[in-house]
Protein backbone atom coordinates (compact mmCIF):
# COMPACT_ATOMS: atom_id res chain seq x y z
CA UNK A 1 0.00 0.00 0.00
CA UNK A 2 1.26 3.44 -0.89
CA UNK A 3 2.02 5.86 1.93
CA UNK A 4 0.22 8.77 0.31
CA UNK A 5 -2.52 8.39 -2.25
CA UNK A 6 -4.02 11.19 -4.33
CA UNK A 7 -7.03 9.87 -6.19
CA UNK A 8 -8.80 12.01 -8.80
CA UNK A 9 -8.00 15.15 -6.81
CA UNK A 10 -9.59 18.35 -8.12
CA UNK A 11 -9.50 21.92 -6.93
CA UNK A 12 -12.19 24.37 -7.89
CA UNK A 13 -11.69 27.72 -6.16
CA UNK A 14 -14.75 29.56 -4.79
CA UNK A 15 -14.62 31.92 -7.81
CA UNK A 16 -15.21 28.86 -10.02
CA UNK A 17 -11.64 28.56 -11.31
CA UNK A 18 -10.71 24.91 -11.86
CA UNK A 19 -7.04 24.93 -10.81
CA UNK A 20 -6.32 21.18 -10.56
CA UNK A 21 -7.92 18.43 -12.68
CA UNK A 22 -8.01 14.73 -11.76
CA UNK A 23 -4.60 14.52 -10.10
CA UNK A 24 -3.60 10.89 -9.47
CA UNK A 25 -0.44 9.83 -7.68
CA UNK A 26 0.73 7.16 -5.26
CA UNK A 27 3.76 8.03 -3.16
CA UNK A 28 5.86 5.44 -1.33
CA UNK A 29 7.28 6.06 2.12
CA UNK A 30 10.58 7.92 1.92
CA UNK A 31 10.21 9.03 -1.69
CA UNK A 32 11.35 12.47 -2.84
CA UNK A 33 8.68 13.73 -5.23
CA UNK A 34 8.97 17.01 -7.15
CA UNK A 35 6.01 18.85 -8.66
CA UNK A 36 7.32 20.98 -11.53
CA UNK A 37 5.69 23.22 -14.11
CA UNK A 38 5.35 26.83 -15.19
CA UNK A 39 3.76 29.49 -13.02
CA UNK A 40 0.04 28.93 -12.45
CA UNK A 41 0.03 25.22 -13.37
CA UNK A 42 -1.48 24.22 -10.00
CA UNK A 43 1.54 22.80 -8.19
CA UNK A 44 1.22 24.98 -5.06
CA UNK A 45 -2.53 24.38 -4.95
CA UNK A 46 -1.93 20.62 -4.96
CA UNK A 47 0.72 20.90 -2.25
CA UNK A 48 -1.58 23.05 -0.12
CA UNK A 49 -4.35 20.44 -0.45
CA UNK A 50 -1.88 17.79 0.78
CA UNK A 51 -0.90 20.07 3.67
CA UNK A 52 -4.53 20.60 4.66
CA UNK A 53 -4.29 24.34 4.02
CA UNK A 54 -6.75 24.17 1.13
CA UNK A 55 -9.93 22.10 0.82
CA UNK A 56 -10.01 19.28 -1.69
CA UNK A 57 -13.01 19.99 -3.96
CA UNK A 58 -13.27 16.46 -5.34
CA UNK A 59 -11.30 13.24 -4.94
CA UNK A 60 -9.62 11.35 -2.10
CA UNK A 61 -6.42 11.97 -0.23
CA UNK A 62 -5.20 9.03 1.84
CA UNK A 63 -2.36 8.80 4.34
CA UNK A 64 -1.35 5.20 5.01
CA UNK A 65 -4.58 4.05 3.40
CA UNK A 66 -6.72 6.24 5.67
CA UNK A 67 -8.87 9.03 4.23
CA UNK A 68 -7.30 12.33 5.23
CA UNK A 69 -9.42 14.89 3.33
CA UNK A 70 -10.97 16.16 6.52
CA UNK A 71 -7.86 15.94 8.75
CA UNK A 72 -6.39 19.23 9.96
CA UNK A 73 -2.77 20.10 9.10
CA UNK A 74 -1.52 19.00 12.54
CA UNK A 75 -3.20 15.63 12.42
CA UNK A 76 -1.54 14.94 9.08
CA UNK A 77 1.93 15.01 10.72
CA UNK A 78 3.26 17.36 8.09
CA UNK A 79 6.05 19.94 8.20
CA UNK A 80 6.21 22.63 5.55
CA UNK A 81 8.88 25.03 4.30
CA UNK A 82 7.63 27.99 2.30
CA UNK A 83 9.21 30.34 -0.20
CA UNK A 84 9.24 33.10 2.41
CA UNK A 85 11.18 31.67 5.33
CA UNK A 86 8.51 32.61 7.89
CA UNK A 87 10.99 32.82 10.79
CA UNK A 88 10.12 34.62 14.02
CA UNK A 89 12.18 37.82 13.68
CA UNK A 90 12.43 38.54 17.41
CA UNK A 91 13.64 35.02 18.27
CA UNK A 92 17.20 33.69 18.07
CA UNK A 93 18.07 30.86 15.69
CA UNK A 94 18.04 28.52 18.71
CA UNK A 95 14.52 29.59 19.69
CA UNK A 96 13.27 29.47 16.12
CA UNK A 97 14.48 25.88 15.88
CA UNK A 98 13.15 24.96 19.32
CA UNK A 99 9.73 26.63 18.98
CA UNK A 100 7.73 23.70 17.58
CA UNK A 101 9.10 21.32 20.21
CA UNK A 102 8.47 23.81 23.01
CA UNK A 103 4.83 24.04 21.93
CA UNK A 104 4.62 20.27 22.08
CA UNK A 105 5.88 20.38 25.69
CA UNK A 106 9.08 18.45 24.96
CA UNK A 107 11.68 18.45 27.82
CA UNK A 108 14.24 21.26 27.71
CA UNK A 109 17.25 18.93 27.59
CA UNK A 110 15.72 16.88 24.75
CA UNK A 111 15.05 20.13 22.89
CA UNK A 112 18.64 21.26 23.41
CA UNK A 113 19.97 17.98 22.09
CA UNK A 114 17.73 18.14 19.02
CA UNK A 115 18.49 21.79 18.30
CA UNK A 116 22.22 21.11 18.49
CA UNK A 117 21.96 18.08 16.25
CA UNK A 118 19.83 19.91 13.67
CA UNK A 119 22.15 22.94 13.77
CA UNK A 120 25.11 20.65 13.14
CA UNK A 121 23.46 18.99 10.12
CA UNK A 122 22.71 22.44 8.67
CA UNK A 123 25.97 24.19 9.58
CA UNK A 124 24.21 26.60 11.97
CA UNK A 125 26.09 25.75 15.17
CA UNK A 126 27.92 29.10 15.24
CA UNK A 127 24.74 31.10 14.65
CA UNK A 128 22.39 29.80 17.34
CA UNK A 129 22.42 33.08 19.29
CA UNK A 130 21.77 35.30 16.29
CA UNK A 131 18.50 36.87 15.22
CA UNK A 132 17.26 36.06 11.69
CA UNK A 133 18.05 39.58 10.45
CA UNK A 134 21.73 38.98 11.18
CA UNK A 135 21.84 35.98 8.82
CA UNK A 136 22.38 35.66 5.06
CA UNK A 137 19.51 34.46 2.87
CA UNK A 138 21.04 30.99 2.69
CA UNK A 139 21.43 30.77 6.46
CA UNK A 140 17.83 31.90 7.00
CA UNK A 141 16.70 29.23 4.57
CA UNK A 142 18.66 26.66 6.57
CA UNK A 143 16.87 27.73 9.75
CA UNK A 144 13.53 27.37 7.95
CA UNK A 145 14.49 23.86 6.82
CA UNK A 146 15.80 23.10 10.31
CA UNK A 147 12.51 24.11 11.90
CA UNK A 148 10.74 21.64 9.67
CA UNK A 149 13.11 18.69 10.11
CA UNK A 150 13.57 19.03 13.87
CA UNK A 151 10.12 17.63 14.52
CA UNK A 152 9.68 14.00 13.65
CA UNK A 153 7.09 14.15 10.93
CA UNK A 154 6.12 11.70 8.28
CA UNK A 155 5.71 14.17 5.45
CA UNK A 156 7.89 17.07 4.53
CA UNK A 157 6.45 19.64 2.10
CA UNK A 158 8.49 22.39 0.45
CA UNK A 159 7.15 25.14 -1.79
CA UNK A 160 9.89 26.81 -3.86
CA UNK A 161 12.17 26.93 -0.79
CA UNK A 162 15.20 28.13 -2.74
CA UNK A 163 13.66 30.89 -4.83
CA UNK A 164 14.94 33.73 -2.63
CA UNK A 165 18.55 32.56 -2.85
CA UNK A 166 21.19 33.50 -5.39
CA UNK A 167 22.33 30.94 -7.98
CA UNK A 168 25.31 29.70 -6.01
CA UNK A 169 23.39 29.31 -2.74
CA UNK A 170 20.67 27.44 -4.61
CA UNK A 171 23.14 24.85 -5.84
CA UNK A 172 24.55 24.39 -2.32
CA UNK A 173 21.12 24.15 -0.67
CA UNK A 174 19.95 21.74 -3.36
CA UNK A 175 22.56 19.18 -2.37
CA UNK A 176 22.01 19.92 1.33
CA UNK A 177 18.29 19.19 1.04
CA UNK A 178 19.05 15.96 -0.83
CA UNK A 179 21.49 15.04 1.95
CA UNK A 180 18.95 15.86 4.67
CA UNK A 181 16.38 13.73 2.88
CA UNK A 182 18.83 10.87 2.83
CA UNK A 183 19.48 11.25 6.54
CA UNK A 184 15.88 11.73 7.71
CA UNK A 185 14.22 9.43 5.19
CA UNK A 186 11.10 11.65 5.37
CA UNK A 187 8.64 11.41 2.52
CA UNK A 188 9.15 14.70 0.72
CA UNK A 189 7.09 16.66 -1.78
CA UNK A 190 8.91 19.61 -3.28
CA UNK A 191 7.41 22.26 -5.55
CA UNK A 192 9.49 24.20 -8.06
CA UNK A 193 9.26 25.76 -11.51
CA UNK A 194 12.95 24.96 -12.06
CA UNK A 195 13.53 21.80 -14.07
CA UNK A 196 17.17 21.58 -12.92
CA UNK A 197 16.05 21.39 -9.27
CA UNK A 198 13.52 18.75 -10.24
CA UNK A 199 16.02 16.69 -12.21
CA UNK A 200 18.77 16.83 -9.59
CA UNK A 201 16.68 16.16 -6.49
CA UNK A 202 13.71 13.97 -7.36
CA UNK A 203 13.17 10.24 -7.15
CA UNK A 204 10.11 10.94 -9.31
CA UNK A 205 8.91 14.11 -10.98
CA UNK A 206 5.32 15.17 -11.66
CA UNK A 207 5.20 17.58 -14.60
CA UNK A 208 2.11 19.83 -14.58
CA UNK A 209 0.62 22.30 -17.04
CA UNK A 210 -2.64 24.27 -16.81
CA UNK A 211 -3.88 22.18 -13.87
CA UNK A 212 -3.28 18.83 -15.58
CA UNK A 213 -0.58 16.26 -14.84
CA UNK A 214 1.39 15.77 -18.04
CA UNK A 215 3.71 12.97 -16.97
CA UNK A 216 5.00 11.25 -13.85
CA UNK A 217 8.37 9.52 -13.92
CA UNK A 218 11.99 9.37 -12.86
CA UNK A 219 14.30 12.10 -14.16
CA UNK A 220 15.69 9.51 -16.58
CA UNK A 221 12.20 8.61 -17.89
CA UNK A 222 11.21 12.21 -18.45
CA UNK A 223 14.42 13.07 -20.24
CA UNK A 224 14.54 10.04 -22.52
CA UNK A 225 10.86 9.17 -22.85
CA UNK A 226 8.79 12.37 -22.75
CA UNK A 227 5.15 11.68 -23.59
CA UNK A 228 4.47 14.97 -25.32
CA UNK A 229 5.95 18.17 -26.74
CA UNK A 230 5.42 20.04 -23.47
CA UNK A 231 7.41 17.61 -21.32
CA UNK A 232 10.09 17.24 -24.01
CA UNK A 233 10.51 21.02 -24.10
CA UNK A 234 10.29 21.57 -20.36
CA UNK A 235 12.86 18.98 -19.24
CA UNK A 236 16.40 19.65 -20.44
CA UNK A 237 18.47 22.81 -20.68
CA UNK A 238 18.75 24.31 -23.26
CA UNK A 239 15.37 22.85 -24.27
CA UNK A 240 14.77 20.34 -27.02
CA UNK A 241 14.68 21.83 -30.56
CA UNK A 242 11.43 21.41 -32.46
CA UNK A 243 10.80 21.72 -36.20
CA UNK A 244 7.32 21.39 -37.72
CA UNK A 245 7.41 19.41 -40.94
CA UNK A 246 5.10 17.37 -43.18
CA UNK A 247 5.68 13.68 -43.88
CA UNK A 248 5.75 13.08 -47.65
CA UNK A 249 6.66 9.68 -49.13
CA UNK A 250 8.25 8.78 -45.79
CA UNK A 251 10.46 11.87 -45.92
CA UNK A 252 10.58 15.14 -43.98
CA UNK A 253 12.17 18.49 -44.74
CA UNK A 254 14.42 19.78 -41.95
CA UNK A 255 16.60 22.87 -42.25
CA UNK A 256 16.05 22.96 -46.03
CA UNK A 257 17.13 19.36 -46.66
CA UNK A 258 15.00 16.28 -47.27
CA UNK A 259 15.45 13.06 -45.25
CA UNK A 260 13.89 9.65 -45.17
CA UNK A 261 12.56 8.51 -41.80
CA UNK A 262 12.67 4.87 -42.95
CA UNK A 263 15.78 4.07 -40.82
CA UNK A 264 13.67 4.82 -37.70
CA UNK A 265 11.72 1.66 -38.44
CA UNK A 266 8.44 2.92 -37.05
CA UNK A 267 5.59 1.30 -38.98
CA UNK A 268 3.08 3.68 -37.34
CA UNK A 269 4.54 6.52 -39.41
CA UNK A 270 2.60 5.25 -42.46
CA UNK A 271 -0.51 6.67 -40.71
CA UNK A 272 1.08 10.10 -40.80
CA UNK A 273 1.66 10.28 -44.56
CA UNK A 274 0.73 13.82 -45.69
CA UNK A 275 0.30 15.01 -42.09
CA UNK A 276 2.27 17.44 -40.04
CA UNK A 277 4.78 16.17 -37.48
CA UNK A 278 6.91 17.86 -34.87
CA UNK A 279 10.50 16.75 -35.27
CA UNK A 280 12.53 17.09 -32.04
CA UNK A 281 16.19 16.73 -31.10
CA UNK A 282 18.14 17.71 -28.00
CA UNK A 283 20.93 20.33 -28.29
CA UNK A 284 23.39 17.90 -26.68
CA UNK A 285 22.54 14.94 -28.92
CA UNK A 286 24.23 16.25 -32.06
CA UNK A 287 27.56 15.09 -33.42
CA UNK A 288 29.97 17.28 -35.41
CA UNK A 289 30.27 16.89 -39.17
CA UNK A 290 28.66 14.26 -41.37
CA UNK A 291 28.06 10.93 -39.66
CA UNK A 292 26.60 7.54 -40.58
CA UNK A 293 23.17 6.50 -39.18
CA UNK A 294 22.30 10.14 -38.77
CA UNK A 295 20.66 13.10 -40.45
CA UNK A 296 23.39 15.53 -41.50
CA UNK A 297 22.57 19.22 -41.78
CA UNK A 298 24.27 22.52 -42.52
CA UNK A 299 23.18 25.82 -41.01
CA UNK A 300 24.55 29.29 -40.31
CA UNK A 301 25.95 30.13 -36.87
CA UNK A 302 24.09 33.15 -35.49
CA UNK A 303 25.55 33.34 -32.01
CA UNK A 304 27.74 31.33 -29.67
CA UNK A 305 27.75 31.33 -25.88
CA UNK A 306 30.85 29.89 -24.25
CA UNK A 307 29.81 28.60 -20.83
CA UNK A 308 33.06 26.96 -19.79
CA UNK A 309 32.08 23.32 -19.80
CA UNK A 310 30.29 23.65 -23.14
CA UNK A 311 29.22 26.17 -25.78
CA UNK A 312 25.65 26.87 -26.89
CA UNK A 313 25.57 27.42 -30.65
CA UNK A 314 22.51 29.22 -32.07
CA UNK A 315 22.00 28.24 -35.67
CA UNK A 316 19.59 29.30 -38.38
CA UNK A 317 18.62 27.91 -41.78
CA UNK A 318 15.93 29.94 -43.53
CA UNK A 319 13.03 30.33 -41.09
CA UNK A 320 14.22 27.56 -38.80
CA UNK A 321 16.32 28.04 -35.71
CA UNK A 322 17.90 25.69 -33.18
CA UNK A 323 20.37 25.58 -30.31
CA UNK A 324 23.20 23.05 -30.29
CA UNK A 325 25.53 22.16 -27.48
CA UNK A 326 29.18 21.53 -28.37
CA UNK A 327 32.51 21.13 -26.56
CA UNK A 328 34.15 24.53 -25.95
CA UNK A 329 37.10 23.71 -28.23
CA UNK A 330 34.63 22.89 -31.03
CA UNK A 331 33.02 26.37 -30.87
CA UNK A 332 32.41 27.51 -34.46
CA UNK A 333 32.99 31.04 -35.78
CA UNK A 334 29.99 33.38 -35.86
CA UNK A 335 28.35 33.62 -39.31
CA UNK A 336 30.16 30.47 -40.47
CA UNK A 337 28.45 27.45 -42.03
CA UNK A 338 28.22 24.62 -39.50
CA UNK A 339 27.68 20.97 -40.41
CA UNK A 340 26.36 18.59 -37.79
CA UNK A 341 24.48 15.31 -37.54
CA UNK A 342 21.50 14.12 -35.53
CA UNK A 343 21.80 10.36 -34.89
CA UNK A 344 18.57 8.56 -35.81
CA UNK A 345 18.38 7.17 -32.27
CA UNK A 346 18.22 10.76 -30.91
CA UNK A 347 15.24 11.83 -33.01
CA UNK A 348 11.86 12.44 -31.34
CA UNK A 349 8.65 12.69 -33.34
CA UNK A 350 5.35 14.10 -32.13
CA UNK A 351 1.87 14.32 -33.62
CA UNK A 352 1.54 18.03 -34.54
CA UNK A 353 -2.18 18.01 -33.67
CA UNK A 354 -2.23 16.20 -30.31
CA UNK A 355 1.44 16.97 -29.52
CA UNK A 356 1.76 13.38 -28.24
CA UNK A 357 4.93 11.42 -28.91
CA UNK A 358 4.95 9.00 -31.86
CA UNK A 359 6.85 5.85 -30.93
P1 LIG B 1 3.39 29.59 -9.04
O1 LIG B 1 4.66 28.91 -9.40
O2 LIG B 1 3.21 30.89 -9.74
O3 LIG B 1 3.11 29.65 -7.57
P2 LIG B 1 1.59 27.33 -9.22
O4 LIG B 1 1.80 26.30 -10.26
O5 LIG B 1 2.01 26.99 -7.85
O6 LIG B 1 2.23 28.70 -9.69
P3 LIG B 1 -1.01 27.79 -8.09
O7 LIG B 1 -0.57 28.80 -7.09
O8 LIG B 1 -1.34 26.44 -7.63
O9 LIG B 1 0.05 27.69 -9.26
O10 LIG B 1 -2.25 28.39 -8.88
C1 LIG B 1 -2.91 27.65 -9.89
C2 LIG B 1 -3.97 28.52 -10.52
O11 LIG B 1 -5.00 28.76 -9.56
C3 LIG B 1 -3.48 29.89 -10.97
O12 LIG B 1 -4.08 30.19 -12.19
C4 LIG B 1 -3.95 30.81 -9.87
O13 LIG B 1 -4.20 32.09 -10.39
C5 LIG B 1 -5.22 30.15 -9.41
N1 LIG B 1 -5.50 30.43 -7.99
C6 LIG B 1 -4.66 30.29 -6.94
N2 LIG B 1 -5.26 30.63 -5.79
C7 LIG B 1 -6.52 31.00 -6.11
C8 LIG B 1 -7.65 31.46 -5.36
N3 LIG B 1 -7.60 31.59 -4.03
N4 LIG B 1 -8.80 31.75 -6.04
C9 LIG B 1 -8.86 31.59 -7.38
N5 LIG B 1 -7.84 31.16 -8.14
C10 LIG B 1 -6.68 30.86 -7.52
Amino acid sequence: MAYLTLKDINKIYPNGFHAVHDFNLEIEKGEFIVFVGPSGCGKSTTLRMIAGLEDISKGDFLINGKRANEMGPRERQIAMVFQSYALYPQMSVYDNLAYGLTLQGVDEDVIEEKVKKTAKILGLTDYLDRLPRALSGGQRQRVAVGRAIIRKVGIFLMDEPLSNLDAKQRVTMRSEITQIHRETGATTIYVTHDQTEAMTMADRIVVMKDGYVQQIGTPYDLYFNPVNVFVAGFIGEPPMNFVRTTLRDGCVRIFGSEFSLAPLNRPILSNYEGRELVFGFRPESIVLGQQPNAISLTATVELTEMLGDNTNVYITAGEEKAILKVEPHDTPEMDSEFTFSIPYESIYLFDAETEKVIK
Side-chain angles (χ1 to χ4, degrees):
M1 185 179 56
Y3 181 50
L4 299 179
T5 305
L6 289 95
K7 216 159 125 196
D8 296 326
I9 297 280
N10 282 264
K11 178 66 190 181
I12 302 159
Y13 278 110
N15 67 357
F17 184 73
H18 201 151
V20 178
H21 299 256
D22 299 328
F23 191 110
N24 283 291
L25 177 65
E26 300 217 317
I27 301 174
E28 297 302 327
K29 209 174 181 110
E31 262 196 297
F32 196 119
I33 299 285
V34 177
F35 294 170
V36 72
S39 181
C41 70
K43 46 197 193 300
S44 295
T45 301
T46 309
L47 195 76
R48 291 171 60 80
M49 287 192 280
I50 295 171
L53 300 172
E54 201 72 70
D55 287 340
I56 295 168
S57 312
K58 222 162 62 186
D60 296 309
F61 174 53
L62 314 181
I63 302 178
N64 254 334
K66 201 168 145 207
R67 190 176 149 97
N69 288 45
E70 286 77 31
M71 280 185 195
R74 250 176 210 289
E75 212 186 330
R76 296 184 191 200
Q77 290 286 308
I78 278 169
M80 190 149 173
V81 180
F82 294 95
Q83 193 173 89
S84 59
Y85 316 123
L87 300 179
Y88 298 106
Q90 75 287 12
M91 286 188 197
S92 67
V93 169
Y94 184 101
D95 290 336
N96 263 286
L97 290 173
Y99 191 65
L101 300 175
T102 309
L103 281 188
Q104 286 174 15
V106 177
D107 283 349
E108 278 303 322
D109 43 344
V110 176
I111 292 181
E112 185 174 344
E113 190 196 329
K114 289 197 171 189
V115 168
K116 287 195 170 152
K117 191 171 157 216
T118 306
K120 191 156 173 242
I121 293 173
L122 292 163
L124 291 167
T125 305
D126 295 340
Y127 305 95
L128 287 171
D129 296 333
R130 291 212 195 165
L131 291 177
R133 66 164 178 272
L135 299 176
S136 72
Q139 290 161 343
R140 275 180 223 169
Q141 191 51 275
R142 286 197 185 103
V143 181
V145 171
R147 273 199 340 181
I149 63 168
I150 199 165
R151 291 190 296 132
K152 250 248 140 333
V153 293
I155 310 161
F156 195 25
L157 306 179
M158 294 193 252
D159 194 350
E160 303 255 8
L162 309 186
S163 57
N164 289 333
L165 305 182
D166 66 35
K168 214 169 184 165
Q169 286 174 325
R170 275 209 298 275
V171 175
T172 314
M173 271 311 279
R174 219 160 67 194
S175 58
E176 282 181 15
I177 290 175
T178 309
Q179 190 64 32
I180 290 165
H181 174 251
R182 225 172 266 154
E183 281 171 27
T184 60
T187 309
T188 305
I189 308 176
Y190 184 105
V191 161
T192 180
H193 62 272
D194 180 345
Q195 67 90 33
T196 311
E197 273 178 31
M199 291 295 276
T200 51
M201 300 170 90
D203 290 322
R204 283 190 300 152
I205 299 173
V206 179
V207 183
M208 296 182 73
K209 181 190 168 214
D210 298 337
Y212 289 91
V213 171
Q214 302 291 305
Q215 189 170 359
I216 300 173
T218 61
Y220 186 95
D221 275 342
L222 298 191
Y223 182 85
F224 288 104
N225 300 308
V227 295
N228 60 26
V229 170
F230 179 78
V231 175
F234 195 80
I235 300 290
E237 180 56 38
M240 186 184 280
N241 296 298
F242 298 112
V243 182
R244 288 179 94 89
T245 177
T246 304
L247 188 67
R248 291 193 202 289
D249 300 327
C251 294
V252 288
R253 220 177 157 70
I254 310 284
F255 287 78
S257 305
E258 193 128 313
F259 298 94
S260 166
L261 293 182
L264 288 176
N265 237 334
R266 292 189 205 168
I268 196 171
L269 278 175
S270 58
N271 298 345
Y272 285 87
E273 199 44 52
R275 286 168 60 189
E276 212 180 12
L277 301 175
V278 177
F279 177 101
F281 65 100
R282 294 208 180 271
E284 56 275 27
S285 69
I286 61 121
V287 191
L288 299 188
Q290 297 221 9
Q291 301 288 341
N293 303 319
I295 286 180
S296 297
L297 302 164
T298 299
T300 308
V301 176
E302 226 175 23
L303 179 76
T304 60
E305 288 173 343
M306 225 293 277
L307 299 170
D309 55 344
N310 65 272
T311 297
N312 290 337
V313 181
Y314 293 72
I315 54 155
T316 165
E319 298 277 282
E320 290 160 7
K321 289 179 187 298
I323 307 178
L324 314 177
K325 213 164 163 175
V326 302
E327 298 275 322
H329 51 265
D330 292 329
T331 305
E333 294 284 322
M334 302 257 234
D335 299 322
S336 65
E337 293 292 293
F338 186 68
T339 299
F340 63 98
S341 298
I342 309 166
Y344 275 109
E345 73 218 23
S346 304
I347 292 172
Y348 291 85
L349 295 173
F350 303 90
D351 184 315
E353 224 169 278
T354 63
E355 301 207 335
K356 287 193 176 142
V357 75
I358 304 169
K359 284 210 177 138

